[in-house]
Amino acid sequence: MKVFKNFNDYSSQKPLALSLGMFDGVHLGHKCIIDELIKVGSENNLETSVLTFWPHPRFVFNPNEDLKLLNTLDEKTLLMEKYGINNLFLKEFDKEFRNLTGEEFVRQILVDQLNVKYLIIGYDHSFGKNKSGNFELLQKLSKELDFEVEQMEAINIHENNISSTKIRNALLTGKIKEANEMLGYSYSVSGKVAHGKKIGRTIGYPTANIETDSIKLLPQKGAYIVEVYVKGQQYKGMLSVGTNPTVNGEKLTVEVYILDFNEDIYEEKIMVKFRDFLHEEIKFENLEKLIERLDEDKRLTEEFNF
């Protein structure tokens, strides 16, 4: 897969089948669009492409908003490549770009620069200044500018439309299995292992303190069953998102206890995949009560069917 941050860097002999949008999470709804792109591309000898925005436009319009995303840029890129996209366009939402009307965007970018011949959009997608671009505009322009346009229906699970917002809400309420079902994969976070207070090792549960990306959404505070990937190996783990209230902690941390593991991994990059929610964050009366709960969490993690 080729990645372009500037439309001027792109050139190809083949026209494009393209979809555009944020694709945050690259969830099952997005995957349906990608699968349709690949089908259309194969049938019509078109290269498949996704045009998305980085950073998120809301960072531009509301720079003080504490927006958290389901994917880092690396995660989004890897998912697009895994699902078989030929080209990924990462457009900065700069002043010039955000002042384009929907029609100007179609004419100047999609048709003139990228040679799009087949355009697929989601069921609720709008684009251009003041959201002036929509499916009706695309239908009108497609005849004049010689491209085809298709609007995908919403994808449902248990009679609910899948959306990035619903996935965020599920994660923020500890509904890990529900979020994973909508994503089509297990939600993950990754980062380098940093030095912490090392309290865990004094009670028999040494943890790896993960430095996560500041834009990455963390699930609800609490304890989770996770898969842990360290140096190419997979382990079972129990992870805590919280402030360690039992020992009067204040800073939000992400710490994972890796079962059947005893190595120094400071500065190593590790990834954890969330599989199930154990319980909300608890302030215990003393360390003995904390250890009792950790023992129970460990038992449940060992018995979990990974």
Side-chain angles (χ1 to χ4, degrees), residues 130-148:
N130 300 323
K131 297 187 176 181
S132 54
N134 52 34
F135 184 59
E136 287 69 30
L137 174 71
L138 291 170
Q139 283 182 308
K140 187 186 84 160
L141 293 176
S142 66
K143 297 177 178 63
E144 177 193 342
L145 300 174
D146 188 30
F147 65 87
E148 292 186 62

Side-chain angles (χ1 to χ4, degrees), residues 2 4 7-14 47 87 89 113:
K2 294 177 181 177
F4 301 92
F7 295 137
N8 296 325
D9 295 337
Y10 171 76
S11 64
S12 175
Q13 301 303 311
K14 274 189 178 183
E47 285 192 3
N87 305 298
F89 296 98
Q113 285 197 277

Side-chain angles (χ1 to χ4, degrees), residues 27-28 157-158 160-163 165-187 274-277:
H27 54 61
L28 283 183
I157 286 183
H158 308 313
N160 284 318
N161 295 348
I162 297 174
S163 72
T165 299
K166 287 178 181 174
I167 294 168
R168 285 193 198 97
N169 291 339
L171 291 168
L172 291 172
T173 51
K175 297 173 184 172
I176 292 299
K177 288 184 174 179
E178 185 178 310
N180 289 346
E181 193 174 15
M182 289 188 281
L183 285 166
Y185 59 87
S186 295
Y187 190 69
F274 291 81
R275 296 299 302 275
D276 207 355
F277 182 64

Side-chain angles (χ1 to χ4, degrees), residues 15 29 48 53 77 87 129 135 157 172 261 275 279 281 294:
T48 56
F53 304 101
T77 303
N87 305 298
K129 188 175 182 180
F135 184 59
I157 286 183
L172 291 172
F261 185 84
R275 296 299 302 275
H279 55 80
E281 184 174 52
L294 288 170

Side-chain angles (χ1 to χ4, degrees), residues 47-89:
E47 285 192 3
T48 56
S49 301
V50 166
L51 193 166
T52 188
F53 304 101
W54 197 269
H56 197 295
R58 278 168 61 181
F59 289 126
V60 176
F61 289 115
N62 304 296
N64 297 320
E65 181 183 7
D66 189 25
L67 175 65
K68 303 297 183 185
L69 302 179
L70 299 173
N71 293 145
T72 64
L73 181 55
D74 284 347
E75 290 168 349
K76 180 184 286 193
T77 303
L78 286 171
L79 284 164
M80 291 288 183
E81 186 165 34
K82 175 186 173 183
Y83 291 153
I85 290 296
N86 297 134
N87 305 298
L88 178 62
F89 296 98

Side-chain angles (χ1 to χ4, degrees), residues 24-262:
D24 188 29
V26 195
H27 54 61
L28 283 183
H30 297 138
K31 188 172 185 301
C32 284
I33 291 174
I34 292 169
D35 289 345
E36 180 69 4
L37 271 178
I38 291 170
K39 175 175 170 285
V40 165
S42 176
E43 290 173 350
N44 297 278
N45 196 28
L46 306 172
E47 285 192 3
T48 56
S49 301
V50 166
L51 193 166
T52 188
F53 304 101
W54 197 269
H56 197 295
R58 278 168 61 181
F59 289 126
V60 176
F61 289 115
N62 304 296
N64 297 320
E65 181 183 7
D66 189 25
L67 175 65
K68 303 297 183 185
L69 302 179
L70 299 173
N71 293 145
T72 64
L73 181 55
D74 284 347
E75 290 168 349
K76 180 184 286 193
T77 303
L78 286 171
L79 284 164
M80 291 288 183
E81 186 165 34
K82 175 186 173 183
Y83 291 153
I85 290 296
N86 297 134
N87 305 298
L88 178 62
F89 296 98
L90 298 169
K91 183 68 183 84
E92 182 182 359
F93 206 71
D94 54 28
K95 185 176 181 181
E96 180 184 0
F97 189 79
R98 68 177 184 259
N99 280 326
L100 289 175
T101 65
E103 182 164 344
E104 288 169 340
F105 171 69
V106 173
R107 291 181 182 277
Q108 296 174 26
I109 306 297
L110 298 186
V111 175
D112 291 349
Q113 285 197 277
L114 300 183
N115 193 17
V116 172
K117 288 297 182 185
Y118 203 106
L119 184 64
I120 300 176
I121 63 169
Y123 71 98
D124 61 349
H125 190 70
S126 58
F127 57 91
K129 188 175 182 180
N130 300 323
K131 297 187 176 181
S132 54
N134 52 34
F135 184 59
E136 287 69 30
L137 174 71
L138 291 170
Q139 283 182 308
K140 187 186 84 160
L141 293 176
S142 66
K143 297 177 178 63
E144 177 193 342
L145 300 174
D146 188 30
F147 65 87
E148 292 186 62
V149 60
E150 178 181 351
Q151 185 174 43
M152 297 287 287
E153 294 296 318
I155 303 302
N156 297 306
I157 286 183
H158 308 313
E159 299 183 358
N160 284 318
N161 295 348
I162 297 174
S163 72
S164 301
T165 299
K166 287 178 181 174
I167 294 168
R168 285 193 198 97
N169 291 339
L171 291 168
L172 291 172
T173 51
K175 297 173 184 172
I176 292 299
K177 288 184 174 179
E178 185 178 310
N180 289 346
E181 193 174 15
M182 289 188 281
L183 285 166
Y185 59 87
S186 295
Y187 190 69
S188 69
V189 298
S190 59
K192 280 188 177 180
V193 177
H195 290 275
K197 293 183 178 179
K198 300 180 173 64
I199 294 169
R201 66 176 58 184
T202 67
I203 58 173
Y205 284 94
T207 60
N209 195 320
I210 307 172
E211 290 186 329
T212 61
D213 193 304
S214 61
I215 67 161
K216 179 78 175 180
L217 181 80
L218 295 176
Q220 175 185 340
K221 289 180 185 178
Y224 297 86
I225 295 173
V226 295
E227 296 171 39
V228 188
Y229 293 83
V230 186
K231 298 180 181 178
Q233 298 296 313
Q234 178 185 344
Y235 301 89
K236 293 182 177 183
M238 39 204 261
L239 178 140
S240 165
V241 177
T243 58
N244 299 307
T246 304
V247 292
N248 299 315
E250 295 180 356
K251 183 184 175 185
L252 184 70
T253 61
V254 179
E255 300 177 59
V256 61
Y257 170 72
I258 308 171
L259 277 65
D260 304 315
F261 185 84
N262 185 26

